[in-house]
């Protein structure tokens, strides 16, 4: 869970619960228990005794509850902590919600494809659309790529490219994806950096202005996205907004989703040709069996090139292969 949520929790027969709280919440506890306070041990911010429970808050963020009524004393603080986090996150998300006017103005939209597929890469795309192009793109059928057939997606992607609309596309192929995953990168971090990179490349193109805004199809909380950028010494671009199902509202995001998915389909076709079998989208039981077939024919190492190895499909494929 995120900062300030309960990270770990355990209870034993002696009536003890240990949990992590934000330092702000620990300060609130200290004030609340002021009249019941005792001398704190080394490394602690406070210690208090109330209702048969000894509560000790440490500088590390850990709070220890010990005593007969430990569960009820802990529960009231747990509830406050969760409520504070929800309120804080709600305020953060509202800050990054796009104004409705953005959808009819010049703006950049970004989306990605392939993240839920065991086989194939993740492709990310950002597209810059001017206000005067929006109606034209609607007329040719630009919409959420998930609502379109593969054939239609490829057709529309070609039309978009023929219109010379500024865009940027990056493909994170499986070898690099698996390498980053082994280094401890989550998929969300990979997608964050992909979105940032394609947006940056579009912004570098001539005649592109982002004064009206940048809209990212949201796949994680905005504070998590920003934290991932910070880890790689990057900053969120000015006038950036986040929105789930953004492709239903923004023609730029819809266009980005189409180009990203068309690229994802092309990459999967090329991998299929490489292994001599039509690789499947998704992460179904059929994918498990196909992965097992590939390992049986070409060795386990083939998955590093064609699949996201950390997906559960890999373990299931190995079990399937062992049975046969």
């Amino acid at each position: 869970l995120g900062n300030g949520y309960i990270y770990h929790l355990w209870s034993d027969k002696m009536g003890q619960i240990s949990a992590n709280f934000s330092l702000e919440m620990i300060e609130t506890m200290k004030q609340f228990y002021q009249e019941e306070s005792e001398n704190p041990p080394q490394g602690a911010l406070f210690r208090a005794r109330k209702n048969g429970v000894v509560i000790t808050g440490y500088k590390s963020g850990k709070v220890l509850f010990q005593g007969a009524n430990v569960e009820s004393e802990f529960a009231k603080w747990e509830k406050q902590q969760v409520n504070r986090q929800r309120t804080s996150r709600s305020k953060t998300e509202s800050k990054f919600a796009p104004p409705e006017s953005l959808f009819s103005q010049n703006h950049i939209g970004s989306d990605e494809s392939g993240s839920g597929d065991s086989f194939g890469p993740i492709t990310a795309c950002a597209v810059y659309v001017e206000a005067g192009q929006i109606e034209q793109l609607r007329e040719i059928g630009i919409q959420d790529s998930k609502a379109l057939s593969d054939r239609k997606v490829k057709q529309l992607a070609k039309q978009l490219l023929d219109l010379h609309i500024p865009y940027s596309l990056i493909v994170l192929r499986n070898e690099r994806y698996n390498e980053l995953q082994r280094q401890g990168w989550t998929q969300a971090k990979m997608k964050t950096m992909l979105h940032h990179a394609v947006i940056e490349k579009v912004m570098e193109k001539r005649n592109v202005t982002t004064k009206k805004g940048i809209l990212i199809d949201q796949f994680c909380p905005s504070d998590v996205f920003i934290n991932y950028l910070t880890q790689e010494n990057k900053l969120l671009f000015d006038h950036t907004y986040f929105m789930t199902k953004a492709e239903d509202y923004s023609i730029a995001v819809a266009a980005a989703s189409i180009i990203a998915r068309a690229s994802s389909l092309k990459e999967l076709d090329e991998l299929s040709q490489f292994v001599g079998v039509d690789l499947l989208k998704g992460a179904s039981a059929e994918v498990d069996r196909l992965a097992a077939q590939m390992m049986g024919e070409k060795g386990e190492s083939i998955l590093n090139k064609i699949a996201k190895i950390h997906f559960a499909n890999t373990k299931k494929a190995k079990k399937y292969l062992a049975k046969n």
Side-chain angles (χ1 to χ4, degrees), residues 113-121 174 264 268 280-283 308 311 313:
S113 180
S115 60
D117 298 325
S118 180
F119 291 127
N174 296 105
S264 180
L268 197 62
L280 302 173
K281 297 191 290 291
K308 302 174 183 72
F311 272 37
N313 300 91

Side-chain angles (χ1 to χ4, degrees), residues 28-318:
T28 300
M29 292 181 187
K30 181 179 178 180
Q31 296 300 320
F32 179 83
Y33 292 120
Q34 191 170 16
E35 294 184 4
E36 296 85 10
S37 64
E38 301 178 352
N39 290 329
Q42 186 174 3
L45 294 172
F46 79 90
R47 169 171 280 178
R49 188 182 302 270
K50 186 167 184 174
N51 300 327
V53 180
V54 176
I55 307 100
T56 309
Y58 293 88
K59 297 176 182 178
S60 64
K62 184 179 77 171
V63 179
L64 189 63
F65 298 81
Q66 298 169 295
N69 301 310
V70 64
E71 289 84 1
S72 60
E73 197 67 22
F74 162 74
K76 68 183 181 185
W77 293 109
E78 178 192 31
K79 184 176 180 180
Q80 283 194 49
Q81 174 84 332
V82 171
N83 287 341
R84 284 193 183 190
Q85 284 292 322
R86 286 175 178 168
T87 300
S88 176
R89 176 149 288 173
S90 177
K91 288 180 180 178
T92 301
E93 294 305 333
S94 64
K95 174 184 175 183
F96 291 105
E100 191 169 347
S101 60
L102 179 69
F103 308 134
S104 59
Q105 296 175 326
N106 302 358
H107 67 285
I108 291 174
S110 68
D111 202 357
E112 85 288 329
S113 180
S115 60
D117 298 325
S118 180
F119 291 127
I122 293 180
T123 57
C125 181
V127 172
Y128 173 68
V129 174
E130 294 185 348
Q133 299 170 310
I134 293 175
E135 192 57 38
Q136 179 188 11
L137 295 183
R138 285 203 180 104
E139 287 177 358
I140 68 173
I142 300 302
Q143 58 179 293
D144 177 13
S145 67
K146 292 187 288 295
L148 303 169
S149 67
D150 290 352
R151 181 179 178 182
K152 188 65 175 177
V153 164
K154 293 175 182 178
Q155 175 190 330
L156 288 173
K158 184 178 184 304
Q159 288 181 266
L160 283 168
L161 300 188
D162 289 343
L163 290 171
H164 302 291
I165 290 176
Y167 80 97
S168 175
L169 174 73
I170 294 179
V171 179
L172 179 61
R173 295 190 171 90
N174 296 105
E175 295 97 330
R176 181 58 175 157
Y177 178 100
N178 292 322
E179 180 184 354
L180 289 171
Q181 198 276 328
R182 286 190 292 268
Q183 291 175 10
W185 282 45
T186 64
Q187 189 183 92
K189 181 173 181 178
M190 296 182 212
K191 289 162 67 171
T192 295
M193 302 316 298
L194 286 171
H195 276 263
H196 183 82
V198 292
I199 290 168
E200 185 174 46
K201 287 182 178 295
V202 168
M203 290 173 64
E204 292 172 355
K205 295 181 183 288
R206 289 176 54 195
N207 302 323
V208 171
T209 172
T210 61
K211 289 183 179 178
K212 300 302 181 183
I214 300 165
L215 182 58
I216 297 173
D217 189 49
Q218 189 167 18
F219 54 86
C220 70
S222 57
D223 57 341
V224 174
F225 189 101
I226 294 168
N227 183 52
Y228 285 141
L229 289 180
T230 303
Q231 289 175 13
E232 300 304 314
N233 298 313
K234 302 290 184 180
L235 296 174
L236 189 71
F237 295 116
D238 291 339
H239 310 295
T240 294
Y241 305 101
F242 298 90
M243 185 181 192
T244 57
K245 299 186 182 301
E247 62 274 14
D248 291 338
Y249 300 87
S250 162
I251 204 75
V253 175
S257 76
I258 286 173
I259 295 175
R261 184 175 159 201
S263 175
S264 180
L265 292 170
K266 178 177 177 290
E267 292 286 329
L268 197 62
D269 286 343
E270 291 178 357
L271 288 175
S272 296
Q273 291 176 17
F274 175 75
V275 295
V277 175
D278 288 338
L279 296 176
L280 302 173
K281 297 191 290 291
S284 64
E286 288 79 7
V287 170
D288 300 343
R289 288 190 285 271
L290 189 52
Q293 178 187 334
M294 291 296 95
M295 286 192 290
E297 293 177 358
K298 303 177 183 296
E300 186 176 328
S301 62
I302 189 63
L303 293 187
N304 192 53
K305 181 174 179 62
I306 66 173
K308 302 174 183 72
I309 292 177
H310 71 104
F311 272 37
N313 300 91
T314 302
K315 288 184 179 180
K316 294 176 182 177
K318 289 179 180 180

